Amino acid sequence: MAAQINPSILSADFARLADEAQAVAGADWLHVDVMDNHFVPNLTLGVPVVESLARATDIPLDCHLMIEAPDRWAPQYVEAGAGSVTFHVEAAAAPVRLAREIRAKGAKASMALRPATPIEPYEDLLPELDMLLIMTVEPGFGGQVFLDIMLPKIRRTRELISKHGLDLWLQVDGGVSASTIEQCADAGADVFVAGSAVYGAEDPAEAVRALRNRAEAATGKASWACDH
């Protein structure tokens, strides 16, 4: 099964975003972290930057909204050019309605869970989604250390996806690097957000290829993938 690598522009040079997008040619998606300094203690970018970035790159945009009131704002990111929009279930007032609205506007709908948020209460929501994001750090800042205590949660989530026979991507975000991506793939993830591991490399495009190779090698041996 193919692994998808989504470089996070949170680790890129914000003054050179168009060039930084070109530097990761071959990436599956460009991960765009939107933070409002309310849901998380950091402030990054918003709709106008997403609109500009969408015009500057052919890589589809994967917008991760770490914001309050995503029910109000998420649809605007689809209109701005995002191909996938992720909202946090902890912040959404009506996650099913929001997922359906995102899909109706033509983007993939994704739901994110903070480290302390269990997956089990949201089992019935999974068919409404195209992707589920398990945060492997506390959202808000790049460059954090991977929380290996999230691996069992990734496994449980993959089991639920398999149980319902869903075609649902399982994304991980936070501390993903050459030393952690294989653990995530073995646990059941197939979409990987990598920030400093890509943009901190001498050759970001090569870093993307190397991470994908590691993830796919681990997936090839993983029990969850063998069952497909």
Side-chain angles (χ1 to χ4, degrees):
M1 297 179 67
Q4 299 185 63
I5 306 299
N6 300 11
S8 171
I9 64 167
L10 187 63
S11 297
D13 181 349
F14 274 29
R16 302 173 54 252
L17 284 185
D19 292 337
E20 295 284 63
Q22 295 301 319
V24 292
D28 298 281
W29 296 79
L30 199 60
H31 191 80
V32 182
D33 288 306
V34 178
M35 307 182 192
D36 64 358
N37 200 32
H38 294 286
F39 182 71
V40 292
N42 198 1
L43 184 65
T44 55
L45 48 81
V47 169
V49 175
V50 171
E51 288 178 335
S52 297
L53 194 56
R55 291 194 297 268
T57 181
D58 292 330
I59 303 174
L61 303 184
D62 168 29
C63 287
H64 177 193
L65 307 184
M66 289 168 271
I67 63 174
E68 292 183 349
D71 305 75
R72 175 184 178 187
W73 298 110
Q76 294 187 31
Y77 284 89
V78 183
E79 295 164 5
S84 175
V85 177
T86 300
F87 60 88
H88 269 264
V89 70
E90 302 91 351
V96 171
R97 183 176 64 196
L98 179 55
R100 290 179 178 179
E101 184 174 3
I102 291 169
R103 280 176 153 180
K105 286 183 174 290
K108 292 186 180 297
S110 172
M111 187 174 77
L113 280 71
R114 300 181 85 145
T117 303
I119 178 58
E120 287 78 8
Y122 304 104
E123 179 178 353
D124 291 343
L125 275 65
L126 297 182
E128 302 289 339
L129 305 170
D130 298 292
M131 182 168 71
L132 188 81
L133 168 55
I134 301 294
M135 290 299 299
T136 45
V137 297
E138 284 294 340
F141 294 93
Q144 297 185 63
V145 176
F146 177 79
L147 295 174
D148 59 5
I149 59 171
M150 291 297 103
L151 291 170
K153 182 176 174 181
I154 297 169
R155 291 186 188 281
R156 294 196 306 272
T157 303
R158 174 54 66 184
E159 288 169 0
L160 289 177
I161 293 170
S162 298
K163 171 185 172 182
H164 293 283
L166 299 173
D167 184 15
L168 177 66
W169 294 339
L170 180 51
Q171 185 181 66
V172 289
D173 180 5
V176 175
S177 67
S179 62
T180 61
I181 194 167
E182 291 169 290
Q183 299 174 66
C184 295
D186 179 70
D190 54 8
V191 183
F192 307 87
V193 177
S196 54
V198 170
Y199 281 111
E202 186 173 336
D203 184 341
E206 175 56 33
V208 169
R209 287 190 289 271
L211 287 170
R212 183 183 288 110
N213 289 341
R214 283 181 175 271
E216 290 184 348
T219 299
K221 297 181 288 186
S223 60
W224 68 269
C226 294
D227 293 337
H228 281 63

